[in-house]
Amino acid sequence: MFKKVLVAEDMDDINRGVYTMLEELGIEEIDQVQYCDDAYLKIKRGIFDKKPYELLITDLSFKADHRSQKYPSGEALVEKLKQENIDLKIIVYSVEDRLQKVRFLVNSFNIGGYVCKSRAGLKELSKAISSIYNNIQYLSPQVKNALDQKVDLEINDYDIELIRHLSNGLSQDEISALFKKKNISPSSLSSIEKHLNKLRIQFGANNAIHLVAIVKDLGLI
Amino acid sequence: MKCKNISFLLFYSLLSFFMTMISEQCVAQDKSDSLSYYYYAILNPKEPEHLPGGISYYSKRKERNLINEDTLSAIGDLRMIAIGQFKIGNVYDSENSIVEALDLINKLKDRDTLIESRVGLHNQLGRVYRSANKYKEALKSFEEALELASNTKDSITILNNKANVYKDMLQYQQALDQYTQVYDKTLGHGDSLQLAMVIDNLGYIQGKMNLPSALDNLNKALEVRLKKNELTGVYRSYKNLTYFFLNRNDKENTSLYANKAFEVAKRLNNGGYTQDALSLFVEMDEDPKVKEYKRLTDSIASAKQLAENKNAYMKYNVEEERKKTETSKLLQEREKRLKVIYMGVSAFVLLVLLASYFIFRYKYKKGKIEQVFRTETRISKKVHDEVANDVYHVMTKLQSNLNINEDVLDDLEKIYSKTRDISKENSAIDVKKNFEQILNDLLLSYKNQNVNIVTKNLSKIKWDSVSEIRKMTIYRVLQELMTNMRKYSKASLVALNFNRSGSKISVSYKDNGIGCSLKKSNGLLNAENRIASINGTISFESKVNEGFKSKIII
């Protein structure tokens, strides 16, 4: 398990919860800061003393107060650390659960984990730490979709054409023949079958007839 | 070698210097040559082409001077033109030229310094009128000239001219008075030839009035003129003496002086004088046929003159009329042009005003919409950072307390997620780039085990060319619709169809939920307001158990 961990979080109660959880995980050295600037300085100091932090857990938004900050948000801090190529694993622990944000942070700075603050937040954070220790990226279930490339809501003209022919009473064989004639690809029977299956799932239809009914009801054809 | 070079240079530069001097002089001489040539061509014409040539030369010169705004020279040119036209017999043209010159003088600021010109012009005008038998006008002009005349010599000439008019009018008493006046002035002045002219005229009138000193005066004038050998004067004296004796039936003396006059006329070598002298013999002739011829010739000549006057007058009037119409036409056209310009300017101003009104209104509206978005974002951040965080706070605090009731935690979690939803609905979104992805993420967040969402043509719209405000509005309205769907519809499938036609973007929403009786929730009203603020339309359509439909066009 990690030996030296830094937590950047400005809420005392959350800090307390996180601290307890980290102790339960058996982490020896736990440091907590309430400002990102302090976090940056501590990390640099650790490197200077040849006792670097292995993991940073940081919130994204920090309440602004009388102290003016060079790094006013967790994002700014992460950006700076990545710029300096500091070898350090990072988990963002935030109430923010917009997919764009998560995707941006993961893709741009290659953070190790993203945990949403919720009722199950601490448990997820614990899971995330273990996962990252084993070099496996962890995202909270709410934001897991962020990196899922396959999630595409869009249906294309090909799909529409396919369903239209079905609604006109053509069999899959006939559609395949027609597509071949019209030079529409893919036209093989198997790929048409595959597409229809995909559409059935997408529209929650039990069979082809059900699919046509649903799509017609929605006014897509 | 060097020395040679220098001397050559010196020579060359001297040469070129002289060359320029000479050439300049040549040009100057040329100019003054033609000027003096035409000056004498008009004052003392010898060939038939002299007068027309002189008039055309001075006319061109006048135009040039007017263009160069040399009014003084133009006035001088007009005087010469008037004299030429008078001599050629174009009385009305001459009158016009003089009037034009007088107009020019009147327009000058320092006209008081041009007394000589004005006296000359008025005098010339009087002569023009006299020759056209317009005695009244002639007298008036001479009087004006007289008023202006400052030296005795000028006033003697003018007075003499005035007296001549009276003579022509056969008003001998007035003529006599004038001549006497002239005589008195001339005596003091002392130009013997001028005096001779005056005495001669005086004698002529006295002769007509049968006054005793008539012959004396006529002879005195002749004596002076003979002494000075002034032939034209001598001719006039002989002529007047012929008339004197003719009136008194003294045939011997009449014939004597008529012959003398004829001799002098021949010596003058001028057809006009010779003809005039010969007419004396016609007057002397006793033959009734000759007398009749003379009477007829005279009456025909005067009738012709009258007709010419009338014709010229009419011509002049027509010309004046034409000029007037032209000027008024020009004026009309100018007014028309001005009108067009004014109309153009006012139309332009109106357009600018209208344009700025619309621009201002557009900017004001845009600013207002932006303000709304900013306020929403600000409040959303506050809700998120302060309320949601605090609730989470309390939740974690309670979680660490082992004795806590799970129900309380559940309720607290509900409150937490509600606050987060409120915040999310209004949080800042950066729609500048990658809007398709942003919209997809939004819809994705409503997709779960039970709800499927399908989009059509979302990727086919070029979102980069859509303004930020419109993108923001689409985002927010879809958010409202989806939230509404999640809350009330129990739908398992939602289809969103995007289309672009021209500059309009339309989105049709349809779900397979339980529908509603279209009591608009806050969210839908909100969506309506947002669409209205950017001049779009949104329609809702729903019946119980038949799903929910909406169409947005912006």
Side-chain angles (χ1 to χ4, degrees), chain B residues 113-320:
Chain B
T113 61
L114 291 168
I115 286 171
E116 195 272 329
S117 291
R118 291 163 77 196
V119 171
L121 283 165
H122 281 294
N123 187 40
Q124 179 72 24
L125 194 58
R127 287 180 65 194
V128 167
Y129 285 138
R130 186 190 161 203
S131 83
N133 297 340
K134 287 158 111 181
Y135 300 125
K136 256 170 131 177
E137 284 91 337
L139 284 175
K140 215 179 126 198
S141 294
F142 286 133
E143 263 152 31
E144 270 172 61
L146 208 55
E147 258 176 51
L148 288 165
S150 56
N151 65 54
T152 328
K153 204 179 166 208
D154 281 349
S155 45
I156 289 168
T157 314
I158 298 162
L159 276 171
N160 191 49
N161 281 338
K162 213 174 142 190
N164 285 339
V165 178
Y166 285 123
K167 186 178 83 183
D168 290 350
M169 291 164 81
L170 307 176
Q171 292 181 3
Y172 296 128
Q173 188 54 52
Q174 263 111 327
L176 183 69
D177 289 350
Q178 293 291 329
Y179 284 131
T180 319
Q181 223 180 318
V182 180
Y183 176 73
D184 290 344
K185 281 202 173 189
T186 321
L187 264 183
H189 202 259
D191 180 339
S192 56
L193 273 178
Q194 203 170 23
L195 189 65
M197 177 187 80
V198 175
I199 295 170
D200 190 40
N201 281 332
L202 195 59
Y204 175 84
I205 291 295
Q206 284 167 339
K208 284 281 179 192
M209 295 171 77
N210 283 323
L211 292 175
S213 47
L215 192 56
D216 228 24
N217 281 334
L218 287 173
N219 279 328
K220 240 194 247 170
L222 178 63
E223 201 180 312
V224 175
R225 281 165 166 174
L226 280 173
K227 212 164 130 192
K228 291 270 176 182
N229 199 21
E230 199 231 342
L231 284 182
T232 50
V234 170
Y235 173 79
R236 255 184 233 123
S237 277
Y238 284 142
K239 189 182 164 187
N240 281 347
L241 280 163
T242 308
Y243 278 123
F244 180 81
F245 289 114
L246 188 64
N247 285 344
R248 282 161 188 76
N249 268 330
D250 185 341
K251 282 177 194 163
E252 199 182 326
N253 274 323
T254 308
S255 147
L256 172 74
Y257 285 112
N259 275 317
K260 282 191 174 182
F262 183 59
E263 289 297 318
V264 175
K266 277 204 288 192
R267 271 173 66 196
L268 276 167
N269 196 18
N270 180 309
Y273 283 108
T274 317
Q275 189 212 15
D276 195 50
L278 284 171
S279 80
L280 291 175
F281 291 100
V282 177
E283 298 222 19
M284 277 157 49
D285 206 302
E286 298 276 287
D287 189 341
K289 279 180 187 158
V290 176
K291 274 197 181 305
E292 181 63 14
Y293 169 76
K294 167 80 174 164
R295 197 187 59 77
L296 262 176
T297 320
D298 283 356
S299 81
I300 284 170
S302 80
K304 205 173 151 197
Q305 177 66 46
L306 208 68
E308 257 175 23
N309 281 358
K310 274 196 176 153
N311 184 37
Y313 182 69
M314 269 157 66
K315 248 167 69 188
Y316 172 74
N317 269 357
V318 169
E319 180 68 11
E320 275 298 278

Side-chain angles (χ1 to χ4, degrees), chain A residues 93 95 119 154 157 202 217, chain B residues 406 410 452 455 460 510:
Chain A
Y93 184 51
V95 288
R119 196 168 158 195
E154 186 90 334
D157 291 342
Q202 204 167 356
D217 273 352
Chain B
E406 281 292 312
D410 286 347
N452 241 326
T455 61
K460 285 202 178 138
K510 196 165 181 201

